[in-house]
Amino acid sequence: MMVLVGVVSVQVGAAFAKQLFSVAGASGVVLLRLVFAALVLLAVFRPSLRLDWPTLRVVAGYGLVLAGMNMCIYQAFERIPLGAAVTIEFLGPLTVALFGSHRKLDVVWALLAGTGVFLLSRVEGGLDWVGVAFALAAGACWAGYILLGAKLGSRTTGTSGLALAMAFGALVALPVGAFDSGPALLSPMVLIIGLVVALMSSVVPYTLELEALRRMPPRVFGILMSTEPAVAALAGLVVLGELLTGWQWLAICCVVIASVGSVATTRKTPESSDPPAN
C-alpha cells in the first residue's frame, strides 16, 4: 500500500508540474520541487548532521540520483507524453527486478510488465528522441534510487536520511534551475503550485517508498513499481487531456496484471517481512 499510494501521488504531482513548464521551465520546476521538499522534511524531522563517512556517502549518492532522476524525467515530460516518458523510465526498475530475481515466476511477471512498457510507448507519430534519451537517463537514476534507497534505509532511522539527501539534491539542481528560469521562480502562483508539487511528487512518495524499502527487497519493490506507466498515463489523461490509444490501454492491463501477480505470488520471507536493523 505504501508503494501504490506513493505511485499515485508522484504521477498526479508530475501532471500538475507539467502545467508549470511554460511559465517556469522544466529545470525551474524541478528546483522548486526539491527545495520545498527539502525544507518540509528538514523542518519536520530535524535530522542530525552527525553522520559517519559511509553513511554520508550513501546520503550524498541518494541525493545525487534523486536530483538526476527528477531533472531528466522533467526534461522528458517537456518533449514526450507523460505516460510514454514514465514507461521508458520504468526500464530502470524493471532491470533491477530482472537481475534481482531468484524465481522463474518473478521473471514472468517482469516480462509481462516489459510487454506493457513496449505497448504503452507506441505513440502515433513517433517520439522525440531527445525526450527518449532523457527518459532513459531518468530510468538509470531510478535504478540507482532503488538500490541506494535500501542502503539508506538500513543506515538511517525514520526519514532523517531522506531529508538530508533531498537537501543535497536541491543543491545539485540549484545552478541549472536558477539559470533556466530566473525571476519566474519568484512568482507567488508558481511558488504555491511548486509547493503542492513538492508535497505530492517528493515528500509523500519518497517517504512512503523509503519505509517500504525497509520492509521488502529491491527486486520486489522494482516489480511493484510496474504500476508507474499505467498511473502516469491515467494522470496524463485526467489532468492534461493526453488521450490513450487501444495499444496503450492493453499496456495498462499488462502492467496491472504483472503487479497484481507479483504481489499475489510473493512468498513471505525474513528478507521481505522484517525491516533491517537500524
Side-chain angles (χ1 to χ4, degrees):
M1 288 303 299
M2 286 182 178
V3 175
L4 295 179
V5 171
V7 166
V8 172
S9 181
V10 74
Q11 295 308 329
V12 174
F16 283 113
K18 189 170 181 176
Q19 295 178 319
L20 273 183
F21 288 176
S22 60
V23 178
S27 299
V29 176
V30 171
L31 177 59
L32 288 177
R33 170 180 168 176
L34 293 177
V35 167
F36 278 128
L39 290 176
V40 170
L41 291 173
L42 290 172
V44 172
F45 299 105
R46 298 183 180 182
S48 172
L49 297 178
R50 300 177 61 182
L51 303 175
D52 57 57
W53 178 241
T55 302
L56 183 60
R57 286 189 299 177
V58 173
V59 169
Y62 193 74
L64 184 62
V65 295
L66 274 180
M69 181 171 63
N70 283 286
M71 288 189 290
C72 289
I73 197 58
Y74 273 39
Q75 290 295 329
F77 288 162
E78 196 170 32
R79 295 167 172 83
I80 59 180
L82 193 71
V86 175
T87 295
I88 298 168
E89 184 192 22
F90 177 69
L91 294 176
L94 180 59
T95 300
V96 173
L98 283 171
F99 280 93
S101 175
H102 299 291
R103 298 188 301 159
K104 292 181 180 180
L105 191 57
D106 290 329
V107 176
V108 172
W109 300 129
L111 289 176
L112 182 59
T115 302
V117 168
F118 172 75
L119 294 175
L120 195 59
S121 63
R122 290 176 58 116
V123 179
E124 294 182 7
L127 296 175
D128 180 278
W129 284 104
V130 176
V132 171
F134 274 118
L136 287 172
C141 292
W142 195 356
Y145 161 75
I146 293 172
L147 298 175
L148 285 173
K151 292 184 179 180
L152 185 70
S154 66
R155 287 189 169 273
T156 60
T157 59
T159 56
S160 61
L162 175 62
L164 293 174
M166 193 72 70
F168 184 82
L171 291 176
V172 172
L174 178 60
V176 179
F179 177 79
D180 184 46
S181 303
L185 295 176
L186 301 179
S187 166
M189 184 57 64
V190 170
L191 290 173
I192 292 172
I193 299 177
L195 176 59
V196 174
V197 169
L199 294 174
M200 295 186 66
S201 295
S202 294
V203 176
V204 171
Y206 292 158
T207 301
L208 292 177
E209 289 169 8
L210 184 60
E211 289 301 316
L213 279 167
R214 288 192 171 101
R215 294 165 170 80
M216 65 175 65
R219 66 174 182 86
V220 178
F221 181 88
I223 296 173
L224 282 173
M225 297 296 283
S226 62
T227 56
E228 286 272 10
V231 176
L234 290 172
L237 172 65
V238 174
V239 180
L240 302 173
E242 295 177 343
L243 299 178
L244 301 173
T245 66
W247 286 109
Q248 291 170 324
W249 280 115
L250 179 59
I252 289 174
C253 292
C254 287
V255 295
V256 169
I257 292 171
S259 298
V260 172
S262 67
V263 174
T265 58
T266 297
R267 291 173 296 186
K268 188 174 181 180
T269 64
E271 178 186 20
S272 59
S273 61
D274 297 324
N278 291 319

